Amino acid sequence: MTGNVDAMMSKFGSSADKLSGKFGSLQNKISSTKFQNFASQVAILNNGMNLMGNSAMLAGAGIAVVGTALYKSAKLSMEYEKGMAKINATTQSTAPELAKVKAELMAIGENSGGNFERIPQAHEKINSVLNDASVSMNVLKVANKGAQAGFVDIDVAAGALAQTMSILGKQGNASDIMDTMLGAKKAGAAEFQDFANYLPSLIAAGKNLGIAYKDIAGSFSFLTTNFSGADSAM
């Protein structure tokens, strides 16, 4: 995969260099004193020379823009495939099964708010905790919406959601947990990432004492409003 991307970028770079070389040679000729003296006496050549210079500049800018876009696209593709490889390493899926998973992940990624290339790794993060690919896919959908509502990377939302579900077991419902975290963030004085970082461990401790996770979330939210943030509340 990496070899194909490198080959593509090398080929594009070679073509771009050749095109830049042609424009450079042409610009050298039209910049010569001899040619400019001649062109200045002929209106159509003078206008054409100016236009040629602008076209060369525009083409040069176009090469840079396209090159940057291709690089970013190739890099994003590599990150995505790296995530898919991790999923396959865990699930040991057949080719058709992996293709189906990839199609579902891409559908989720269409509405991921800039998290597209992180979608496969977020799924893997969830599945590595829950060990159920089907359940993990549904949890990922909830995490994706939570990430956008909480303005965090999907990795953060996915990790917090998976950990909390693992702690609560059958008592844990993905949508309820995410709604609780978002509600705690809205009522509290900390960022969603703070709640995602701290709540799973607090919920685990609360469970051992028989305290409902929603009460834990509410209490932590209240403390953040009285102690100036999540760190002080801890």
Side-chain angles (χ1 to χ4, degrees), residues 108 111-113 115 119 139-149 154:
I108 295 172
N111 299 294
S112 60
N115 279 298
I119 291 289
V139 173
L140 178 65
K141 294 175 183 177
V142 176
N144 183 41
K145 293 178 181 178
Q148 294 178 67
I154 193 168

Side-chain angles (χ1 to χ4, degrees), residues 13-35:
S14 177
S15 298
D17 288 342
K18 289 180 181 178
L19 187 57
S20 295
K22 289 182 180 180
F23 276 118
S25 177
L26 179 59
Q27 284 181 303
N28 288 336
K29 289 180 180 179
I30 65 177
S31 295
S32 68
T33 302
K34 183 177 180 180
F35 188 86

Side-chain angles (χ1 to χ4, degrees), residues 85-221:
K86 287 184 178 180
I87 289 175
N88 194 36
T90 300
T91 61
Q92 294 295 302
S93 304
T94 63
E97 289 172 339
L98 192 62
K100 182 181 178 182
V101 169
K102 185 174 183 179
E104 289 185 77
L105 294 179
M106 292 188 75
I108 295 172
E110 289 177 1
N111 299 294
S112 60
N115 279 298
F116 182 83
E117 74 276 16
R118 297 187 181 93
I119 291 289
Q121 295 199 42
H123 179 273
E124 166 59 17
K125 180 176 285 190
I126 295 170
N127 193 46
S128 65
V129 175
L130 301 182
N131 197 31
D132 187 318
S134 180
V135 171
S136 296
M137 190 67 74
N138 291 327
V139 173
L140 178 65
K141 294 175 183 177
V142 176
N144 183 41
K145 293 178 181 178
Q148 294 178 67
F151 300 101
V152 295
D153 289 343
I154 193 168
D155 313 61
V156 175
L161 194 52
Q163 287 179 58
T164 306
M165 289 187 68
S166 177
I167 292 164
L168 296 176
K170 294 182 179 180
Q171 300 175 14
N173 175 279
S175 294
D176 286 347
I177 293 170
M178 184 56 69
D179 287 345
T180 299
M181 289 185 174
L182 290 170
K185 185 267 178 187
K186 183 177 180 180
E191 297 300 321
F192 181 81
Q193 183 160 349
D194 294 320
F195 286 95
N197 288 339
Y198 290 121
L199 278 180
S201 58
L202 291 174
I203 288 171
K207 183 183 179 183
N208 291 333
L209 297 173
I211 304 174
Y213 80 90
K214 291 185 179 181
D215 291 336
I216 293 291
S219 298
F220 184 60
S221 178

Side-chain angles (χ1 to χ4, degrees), residues 34-66:
K34 183 177 180 180
F35 188 86
Q36 288 193 25
N37 287 338
F38 171 67
S40 65
Q41 299 176 42
V42 185
I44 190 169
L45 286 180
N46 191 39
N47 292 336
M49 184 178 69
N50 291 333
L51 181 60
M52 183 66 74
N54 291 336
S55 297
M57 290 174 64
L58 288 173
I63 290 172
V65 170
V66 173

